[in-house]
Every structure is written in structure tokens, then in C-alpha cells.
């Protein structure tokens, strides 16, 4: 249950009282006014073009294997790397298409039940956007020598791993001073038409947002939260 906001009834909102905002203990006045100007970076009703799934061609290429053979091995490597280079930085791309009048997210499927967004770990000191472009090319880039142009748009999510354990959170718990991983999700604006080469050990599937919504059991907490993260955009069905 959410905590009630003290002062909402007026008991602690008089002049000279202690404010409930941040920083705590700051003296505020009910007569104080703020001149709030709109940010020049603010975009109302941000449009994103979605093209039909049939616009895209999907080929195959050699398998792309994970660096770690098991979950325990992954966390062991994370421990070793944390001692050397600190917190792991990961980036993932959200690629959208539309089918039957509905937005769909392109997901990589491994086996019957494991789904992931394309992306991965950044190299030490690597720029996030350039690193995501590199990872998208490694994962889905075509093999005929034609350069793929990835247009990386807004950040749509930040997730943190407090410990060397599976859970990730969309915030840093207050008792955690050194998170073990930061995972940032970016919206990637697809071109009107494109060719993707999918590793043979994966399937590329288009998952409608209604199937992801509130479905952490099937897709995990990050992917299942995408409908909420994406609802601020105005999808243009081209």
C-alpha cells in the first residue's frame, strides 16, 4: 500500500513549515512561486514510424553463441570482470514493426521459451550508441557487404543489477552503492525496408505488444514492461 502524503490535509503545509519535497528539511512557503519554462528538448506527441513486417527480408548466417555456457558461468565471469573493470554496461535495441494494425517488437528466440532483445555487453570505454550499432550488426547485420544503417533513437529504459544474481530492477536499491550491471534500452528506428541475417541458432519473432503486456512469466520483467515504456510514443503506421 502506498504511503499517504503527509501535509495533504494541510496539517504541515503552512508558511515556514518543513517541506516534504527534496531535499528533505528544506524550508518552503506557500507563497513561493516558480517560473517553470518548458525544456527546449521537450517533444510532445513524439512520432515513430512503424513499417509492416512484410517490408523486411530475413536470411540466416552462422550461429552466434553466448560467451558463457551456463548462468553460473555468466555470473562468475561478471565477478571476475567487476574486480578488473567495474560495473558491466549492456545495451539492447527495441526494433518495432507493425502487423495486423498492431505494433510488434522483434525478439530473438533461443529454444522454446527464452526470448531476448538484440544487443549485449559494451567494451570498456565504448560509447553506448556506437556499441549498440556494433552489436546489432554482429547479431542481425547482413552478410553481403552492404552496410546496415542503424538509427538509434530515445532511451526507453534503464535497468540495474544490484548483485551477481538474476534479478534486475528499474532503479538502484538505496542500500546498493556499487551495482554490478547497468542495462540501457534504446528505441531503434528501422528503415522502410531492410534485410536481416539471423544466426542459425536463433529465431527472429515479432511479438505484439498485447502479448508482452503483464506477461513477465513468459518474457521476463524487462520485455514485458515494453508496452508501458513505449506508450509515450505516437506510432505512425506507414
Amino acid at each position: 500500500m502506498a504511503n499517504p502524503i503527509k501535509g495533504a490535509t494541510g496539517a504541515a503545509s503552512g508558511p515556514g513549515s518543513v517541506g516534504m519535497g527534496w531535499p528533505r528539511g528544506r524550508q518552503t512557503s506557500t507563497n513561493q512561486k516558480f517560473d517553470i519554462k518548458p525544456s527546449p528538448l521537450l517533444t510532445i506527441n513524439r512520432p515513430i514510424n512503424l513499417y509492416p513486417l512484410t517490408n523486411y527480408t530475413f536470411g540466416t548466417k552462422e550461429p552466434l553463441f553466448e560467451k558463457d555456457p551456463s548462468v553460473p558461468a555468466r555470473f562468475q565471469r561478471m565477478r571476475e570482470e567487476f574486480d578488473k573493470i567495474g560495473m558491466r554496461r549492456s545495451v539492447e535495441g527495441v526494433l518495432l514493426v507493425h502487423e495486423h494494425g498492431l505494433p510488434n517488437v522483434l525478439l530473438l528466440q533461443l529454444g522454446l521459451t527464452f526470448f531476448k532483445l538484440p544487443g549485449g555487453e559494451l567494451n570498456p570505454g565504448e560509447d553506448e550508441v556506437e556499441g549498440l550499432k556494433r552489436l546489432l550488426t554482429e547479431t542481425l547485420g547482413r552478410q553481403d557487404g552492404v552496410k546496415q544503417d542503424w538509427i538509434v533513437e530515445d532511451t526507453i529504459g534503464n535497468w540495474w543489477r544490484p548483485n551477481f544474481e538474476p534479478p534486475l530492477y528499474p532503479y538502484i536499491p538505496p542500500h546498493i552503492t556499487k551495482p554490478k550491471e547497468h542495462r540501457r534500452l534504446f528505441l531503434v528506428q528501422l528503415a522502410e525496408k531492410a534485410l536481416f541475417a539471423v544466426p542459425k541458432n536463433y529465431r527472429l519473432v515479432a511479438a505484439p505488444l498485447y502479448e508482452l503486456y503483464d506477461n513477465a512469466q513468459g518474457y521476463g520483467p524487462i520485455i514485458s514492461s515494453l508496452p508501458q515504456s513505449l506508450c509515450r510514443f505516437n506510432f505512425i503506421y506507414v
Side-chain angles (χ1 to χ4, degrees):
M1 178 182 296
N3 292 325
I5 300 176
K6 296 181 180 178
T9 61
S13 59
S17 64
V18 178
M20 295 305 297
W22 185 264
R24 292 181 181 141
R26 180 178 177 179
Q27 298 294 319
T28 61
S29 169
T30 56
N31 297 323
Q32 187 175 7
K33 295 183 179 180
F34 298 92
D35 183 16
I36 301 176
K37 298 179 180 179
S39 167
L41 300 178
L42 180 65
T43 301
I44 304 298
N45 206 27
R46 169 71 184 276
I48 297 294
N49 289 334
L50 300 188
Y51 299 99
L53 180 61
T54 53
N55 276 26
Y56 302 99
T57 304
F58 302 94
T60 59
K61 61 184 177 184
E62 292 302 310
L64 183 64
F65 296 105
E66 298 285 334
K67 292 182 178 180
D68 310 296
S70 65
V71 173
R74 179 174 50 143
F75 288 119
Q76 179 59 36
R77 182 169 65 86
M78 187 181 290
R79 287 177 183 274
E80 296 170 355
E81 292 179 349
F82 187 82
D83 293 337
K84 298 177 182 177
I85 61 176
M87 180 185 67
R88 174 176 294 180
R89 297 182 304 131
S90 303
V91 288
E92 295 178 340
V94 178
L95 286 59
L96 298 172
V97 298
H98 74 81
E99 189 175 28
H100 306 304
L102 294 169
N104 285 244
V105 180
L106 296 183
L107 300 175
L108 291 164
Q109 180 180 355
L110 182 63
L112 297 176
T113 60
F114 180 73
F115 298 89
K116 62 178 289 187
L117 293 164
E121 302 170 25
L122 294 173
N123 296 322
E126 186 175 23
D127 178 78
E128 289 180 323
V129 172
E130 294 305 314
L132 178 58
K133 292 180 179 180
R134 171 183 64 80
L135 290 162
L136 289 174
T137 298
E138 292 176 2
T139 307
L140 297 174
R142 52 197 298 166
Q143 301 290 285
D144 56 6
V146 177
K147 185 179 179 181
Q148 199 94 354
D149 186 22
W150 304 104
I151 302 174
V152 180
E153 297 275 2
D154 291 354
T155 297
I156 60 172
N158 287 282
W159 291 78
W160 305 86
R161 190 186 306 277
N163 303 299
F164 300 111
E165 298 172 352
L168 289 132
Y169 301 92
Y171 57 88
I172 303 176
H175 63 285
I176 299 297
T177 58
K178 295 182 179 180
K180 306 308 182 287
E181 181 181 6
H182 175 211
R183 185 175 298 182
R184 191 187 300 273
L185 276 59
F186 289 94
L187 179 66
V188 179
Q189 174 67 71
L190 292 178
E192 182 177 0
K193 295 184 178 181
L195 167 65
F196 300 109
V198 184
K200 291 180 180 179
N201 55 328
Y202 284 98
R203 290 179 59 206
L204 191 64
V205 299
L209 291 189
Y210 71 81
E211 184 177 318
L212 304 181
Y213 177 70
D214 199 25
N215 192 0
Q217 183 176 359
Y219 292 94
I222 295 180
I223 294 176
S224 65
S225 72
L226 288 178
Q228 294 95 317
S229 301
L230 294 168
C231 69
R232 65 189 177 93
F233 296 108
N234 179 28
F235 296 136
I236 307 298
Y237 297 90
V238 183

